[in-house]
Amino acid sequence: MAKERPDRVSDGTVAALGKLSSAFETVESARGMLYQFHRMSGSADLSLQEAVQDLRDAGHGDLANEISECLVGRDVIPGSWTARGRLGDVPVPARTWW
């Protein structure tokens, strides 16, 4: 159902507002992807920790230690927040863009 345009709203205004709406939608989509990435990287780290323990249990302590020292808890992107363990640790700026 098409809505009527309010009086004195130009084509340029309608186009600009459409782009603004699209930008907000894209940002929300990107935010969802970021949260999904965080969950997936955390899940991978948990699986890695389980694999390390399984290697230890199977008598491969040296290999388990090396993997643990090199990979467990590492940030996917060096210096990033991906290994902090839960989404609540993600820093949030005092003011957001919206």
Side-chain angles (χ1 to χ4, degrees), residues 37-95:
F37 171 81
H38 180 75
R39 289 192 307 268
M40 291 176 74
S41 63
S43 177
D45 191 65
L46 179 60
S47 293
L48 182 62
Q49 291 175 52
E50 292 170 352
V52 165
Q53 186 58 50
D54 290 348
L55 284 168
R56 280 196 182 98
D57 294 346
H60 305 285
D62 289 343
L63 178 58
N65 289 339
E66 184 176 349
I67 292 171
S68 182
E69 289 173 18
C70 292
L71 297 176
V72 172
R74 295 284 300 263
D75 291 327
V76 175
I77 301 168
S80 186
W81 52 266
T82 55
R84 291 199 179 142
R86 64 185 187 283
L87 205 50
D89 290 333
V90 177
V92 177
R95 292 189 62 197

Side-chain angles (χ1 to χ4, degrees), residues 7 13 18 32 34 37 62 84-85 92 96-97:
D7 292 338
T13 299
L34 179 62
F37 171 81
D62 289 343
R84 291 199 179 142
V92 177
T96 55
W97 62 271

